Amino acid sequence: MASLDDLKKRITSVKSTQKITKAMKMVAAAKLRKAQESAEKGRPYSEKMHNIILNLSKNINDKENAPKLLTGSGKDNVHLCVVMTSDRGLCGGFNSNITKKAKSYFKKILDSGKELKIVTVGSKGFDQLKRVHKEHIIKNISFKESKIVNYFDADKVGKMIIKKFENGEFDVCTIFFNKFKNVITQIPQEQQIIPLKSDKSDDKNDVINYEFEPEEDEILNNLLPKNISTQIFKAMLENSASEQGSRMSAMDNATRNAGEMVEKLTIEYNRSRQAAITKELIEIISGAESL
């Protein structure tokens, strides 16, 4: 059994930890409001741009001369996976859920005999993936110095991806991130951005007709690079909100667990203290009787 002094030190230590987790929960809650607002505002723009490009692509007659960012290289041999996580921990399963989703995709690629290349955005994703896929990681990008999510950082990643594609370093590019739903729920996503892939939900765009000036090809050449940066920026905004929501939930659980531990340790301390007092009284009484 631990001594009274040890129990007292543990209670003090747990209370100090509880203060820290409670403060982190409050900070995450404050940051979450702004991050959630930014993520929700960014969704309509990125979705509309995606839909417009899909409509443009359907009006192209000469598919062979269409922009490669839209149609791809014509091959499916080399896959570039951009795994977007956080640079900070203590956010529950936020990072591990993204890497788990990515690892499942990696397995499919490797099992089919195709080449895999990985770019990690965020140090936590790099730390988790390097244990198994270190030989496939070609670049690790960190924005730890950036206080808020911004388009300029997303554009850097987008331009890096486009440059690698133009150099023929990969055929298909997929990004991985968490989509924010609420404080408790963040949904891991995989989104193919090169070549542009339409979902079944995009079929409704068949009924929309646009008149373009200038021609579709010229518009696509300008929109496609911007769309890649925009989709990455959207993913970063979703990640930011998901990270703060997950951290808030994790710190709330940690605070409550610390409170329960303090109660248990306090009860154990009181019992040990009462046992020590009783023992001393028995010794005093026994000594008095012997006299």
Side-chain angles (χ1 to χ4, degrees), residues 42-96:
R43 289 172 187 170
Y45 180 79
S46 60
E47 289 172 3
K48 193 64 179 177
M49 177 175 283
H50 179 76
N51 292 338
I52 289 174
I53 291 175
L54 287 176
N55 276 281
L56 276 166
S57 65
K58 291 170 185 175
N59 292 328
I60 294 177
N61 297 322
D62 188 5
K63 298 291 183 181
E64 293 183 359
N65 295 322
K68 296 300 181 184
L69 288 174
L70 178 67
T71 60
S73 62
K75 297 181 289 184
D76 187 26
N77 299 327
V78 185
H79 285 251
L80 176 68
C81 296
V82 182
V83 183
M84 307 175 71
T85 57
S86 68
D87 286 304
R88 297 172 179 84
L90 297 176
C91 48
F94 168 75
N95 293 308
S96 58

Side-chain angles (χ1 to χ4, degrees), residues 137-196:
I137 298 175
I138 61 173
K139 192 174 184 63
N140 175 43
I141 302 171
S142 175
F143 296 119
K144 191 177 291 185
E145 296 179 356
S146 298
K147 294 183 179 180
I148 58 172
V149 177
N150 59 81
Y151 181 79
F152 300 104
D153 290 339
D155 194 41
K156 290 178 184 177
V157 179
K159 287 178 178 177
M160 180 270 295
I161 292 172
I162 293 172
K163 185 177 180 182
K164 288 184 178 296
F165 180 71
E166 290 174 346
N167 293 337
E169 296 183 32
F170 68 88
D171 303 313
V172 179
C173 179
T174 307
I175 60 175
F176 296 85
F177 60 97
N178 261 338
K179 183 177 181 179
F180 179 81
K181 185 175 182 181
N182 53 50
V183 175
I184 300 174
T185 308
Q186 299 86 36
I187 307 170
Q189 303 284 311
E190 66 177 68
Q191 181 182 350
Q192 182 176 307
I193 57 175
I194 299 177
L196 195 66

Side-chain angles (χ1 to χ4, degrees), residues 4 23 36 42 46 50 52 55 65 72 81 86-87 93 95 98 110 122 132 166 172 210 218 221 223 232 241-242 251:
L4 289 175
Q36 182 179 354
S46 60
H50 179 76
I52 289 174
N55 276 281
N65 295 322
C81 296
S86 68
D87 286 304
N95 293 308
I98 297 174
L110 295 174
V132 182
E166 290 174 346
V172 179
Y210 295 105
E218 188 175 344
N221 285 328
L223 274 185
I232 291 170
S242 298
M251 291 302 101

